[in-house]
Amino acid sequence: MEASLEVRKRGVCTKRGERMVVVQPTNKSVEAFEGLHLYHGAISNCSMRVRMTLVEKGLDWTSHHVDLKKKENITDDYFGINPKGLVPTLVHDGVVHTESNDIIDYLDNAYGEPSLRAEDTETLMSWLELATSLHVPAVKPYVYATIIAPKVKKTAQEEAKYAELQKNEELSKFHAQHAGGKQFQGEAFKEAEAKLNEAFAKLESTLAGSKWMMGDKFTLADISWIPLHFVLIGCGYPFQNYPNITRWADACAKRRSFKEGILEWCPDFSKV
């Protein structure tokens, strides 16, 4: 059963007693939205997670595409919805939810069947948390260094606007590293690569003799990690060294949610 609007506005999920990430928007226009509305980017791996979850759950949703290459997220209106200026942002009956792994967990809690959980909830959540922890220190530097930086290069005016709007210290520091056309390289790139190598070695081991990350059932863990594979393989990450991950990724690619949540929006990340 879906949590009530009053409960969701307080940021509490009664079904499992867990906190949810709820934002009080300064852009009040979204509070009039009814149903599920998703602000998302075609090339965003975090957006891919949420689109896949919506497909797996069989949910109807309204798309608000944000073109990251056109810097459509660097506006007062969008920062008024998501204070970090990131995609995705889910607006459910006027309540704003941010952070992709929290959003997919919320959707699975709010809409019971089909469930995307596992009996071992602690391990499931640890995989979501690991994916989250890799995003800024590892995934973004690798993606920017290999493909994305020139595609999303900001003008001086756009950089100034971003600096004005962005209040998150971690994101401000990250984007300062490639401001003015600077490139990620050297130790920063090596550190990002090392973090990815460690994480994917763990995933490779976990998938030995297992179809999905949590065993025989496709879960939120798989949804959280398959967009990372899709994006990073497009950036040239050497997944040929990970046969179990390659087998798992091939199985994920056959799912309707992968085709509709990823490929229909971003057919080939290497060519974005």
Side-chain angles (χ1 to χ4, degrees), residues 21 23 73-75 78-87 89 98-99 102 132 136 162 165-172 175:
V21 180
V23 170
N73 59 316
I74 308 178
T75 65
Y78 189 67
F79 268 81
I81 301 168
N82 186 317
K84 292 182 180 179
L86 297 174
V87 288
T89 302
T98 62
E99 309 298 339
D102 293 305
T132 298
V136 177
Y162 184 83
L165 292 170
Q166 185 57 261
K167 307 304 180 186
N168 181 272
E169 184 177 350
E170 184 182 38
L171 289 169
S172 293
H175 285 285

Side-chain angles (χ1 to χ4, degrees), residues 62-76:
T62 300
S63 170
H64 301 263
H65 183 249
V66 180
D67 193 327
L68 301 178
K69 291 191 287 186
K70 293 181 179 178
K71 324 302 187 309
E72 290 180 352
N73 59 316
I74 308 178
T75 65
D76 293 284

Side-chain angles (χ1 to χ4, degrees), residues 212-233:
W212 306 115
M213 290 174 63
M214 296 300 299
D216 294 332
K217 182 182 178 184
F218 183 84
T219 68
L220 293 175
D222 303 289
I223 290 174
S224 180
W225 280 77
I226 191 58
L228 297 183
H229 176 276
F230 177 79
V231 166
L232 290 169
I233 200 169

Side-chain angles (χ1 to χ4, degrees), residues 1 18 27 41 52 61-62 69 74 95 98 119 123-124 126 130 141-142 161-163 185 193 202 204 206 232 271:
M1 180 180 294
E18 298 170 351
N27 180 348
M52 285 187 69
W61 56 287
T62 300
K69 291 191 287 186
I74 308 178
V95 181
T98 62
E119 290 185 11
T123 299
L124 172 69
S126 72
L130 178 56
Y142 196 96
K161 185 64 175 178
Y162 184 83
Q185 54 188 346
E193 189 174 39
K202 178 180 179 180
E204 176 72 8
T206 296
L232 290 169
K271 298 177 181 177

Side-chain angles (χ1 to χ4, degrees), residues 160-269:
K161 185 64 175 178
Y162 184 83
E164 172 196 335
L165 292 170
Q166 185 57 261
K167 307 304 180 186
N168 181 272
E169 184 177 350
E170 184 182 38
L171 289 169
S172 293
K173 182 179 178 181
F174 171 80
H175 285 285
Q177 293 179 71
H178 68 92
K182 290 183 289 187
Q183 297 293 314
F184 290 104
Q185 54 188 346
E187 288 303 313
F189 181 78
K190 289 180 181 177
E191 288 175 11
E193 189 174 39
K195 290 179 186 294
L196 293 176
N197 292 344
E198 181 180 1
F200 286 118
K202 178 180 179 180
L203 180 56
E204 176 72 8
S205 177
T206 296
L207 288 168
S210 177
K211 181 175 182 179
W212 306 115
M213 290 174 63
M214 296 300 299
D216 294 332
K217 182 182 178 184
F218 183 84
T219 68
L220 293 175
D222 303 289
I223 290 174
S224 180
W225 280 77
I226 191 58
L228 297 183
H229 176 276
F230 177 79
V231 166
L232 290 169
I233 200 169
C235 294
Y237 186 82
F239 281 109
Q240 66 270 19
N241 299 332
Y242 302 93
N244 292 328
I245 291 177
T246 299
R247 170 183 49 78
W248 162 80
D250 289 344
C252 288
K254 294 175 182 177
R255 299 184 74 87
R256 176 188 164 199
S257 60
F258 184 94
K259 295 170 184 175
E260 295 184 10
I262 296 182
L263 296 183
E264 285 188 8
W265 293 94
C266 182
D268 185 344
F269 193 80

